Amino acid sequence: MPRTHVRSLGFGALTIAAVLISSARAFAQAPAPPPDAWSPPPSGAAQPGAYPPGAYPPGAYPPILVAPQPPKENSINGSPLGVLFGSYSLNYERLAGGTHGFMIEGTFSHSTGTSTINGDQTSSKSMLYGGGVGYRWHWSGQQQSGFLGLMAGYTVGTGSGTVSDMTGTQQFDLTVKAPWVVANIGKRWQWDSGLNFTFRVGAGWAHYTVSSSSTDPQAQDAVKALNDLLTLIPIALDGELSLGYSF
């Protein structure tokens, strides 16, 4: 009786073991259900091939690439304050390589006036126009920079006047022509919008020639005196106080 009992227990144990082994094999061979959504690997790090090319994990966004703004190479400037005094100037500069600026500038001004001296009435009007070309070295390598410049140009000024006194009325005219070369130093402040403010000062050499169509001896004496003075002091002054736009 005891031996039969042991055999029954052994057979029962073998039967239970066979059932467990068979269940384990069936579970191992059963195909895994298809994932309904992407899930990161257990380690938390994305593995190659974890999601299709071009796809991003949930909650992730594609990188946003912001292209840098191209440098502003062109600038147009004018003098707003000069308009109040009948003086107009406009220049254009092209900046190459951030450092080398090549510019062209034009100027125009006019004025009229009357006065009374010792009872004599005098009226006059004048006009000046000219232009020049120049080079600027921007030492900061951009539009917003200090600069050293060199310019050359030509200016023509004309004027006429009338003097009335007890003996009658006299008319005279003057014409001044001058080629010139100047060196200057300045600074340009520029905002991101392209608006800029430019300041420069300079001086150099000019060759003045004064003439008049009047045959009056006093007018000719005045022309000679003025020529002598300008030959003695052949100085040209240069300056800019302008507002402009860079693009």
Side-chain angles (χ1 to χ4, degrees), residues 40 106 150 227:
L150 184 67
N227 268 318

Side-chain angles (χ1 to χ4, degrees), residues 173-190:
D173 64 89
L174 289 176
T175 299
V176 181
K177 300 179 180 180
W180 48 265
V181 178
V182 296
N184 53 56
I185 184 171
K187 167 74 175 179
R188 170 170 288 160
W189 294 267
Q190 179 181 272

Side-chain angles (χ1 to χ4, degrees), residues 82-133:
V83 177
L84 301 177
F85 306 98
S87 179
Y88 310 89
S89 67
L90 188 69
N91 65 57
Y92 165 77
E93 181 179 11
R94 170 76 175 183
L95 193 61
T99 301
H100 307 288
F102 302 92
M103 64 174 295
I104 182 170
E105 183 174 58
T107 59
F108 173 77
S109 65
H110 65 91
S111 65
T112 59
T114 59
S115 62
T116 302
I117 303 176
N118 296 329
D120 298 338
Q121 294 183 350
T122 302
S123 63
S124 63
K125 60 181 180 179
S126 63
M127 182 176 63
L128 183 144
Y129 57 93
V133 295

Side-chain angles (χ1 to χ4, degrees), residues 8 25 109 164 167 202 237:
S8 298
R25 287 180 176 177
S109 65
S164 299
T167 61
L237 300 178

Side-chain angles (χ1 to χ4, degrees), residues 166-216:
M166 297 181 62
T167 61
T169 299
Q170 297 179 345
Q171 295 182 345
F172 61 91
D173 64 89
L174 289 176
T175 299
V176 181
K177 300 179 180 180
W180 48 265
V181 178
V182 296
N184 53 56
I185 184 171
K187 167 74 175 179
R188 170 170 288 160
W189 294 267
Q190 179 181 272
W191 290 267
D192 293 339
S193 63
L195 188 69
N196 75 71
F197 176 77
T198 305
F199 169 77
R200 82 173 191 254
V201 291
W205 168 89
H207 177 67
Y208 297 96
T209 302
V210 183
S211 62
S212 174
S213 62
S214 175
T215 59
D216 184 83

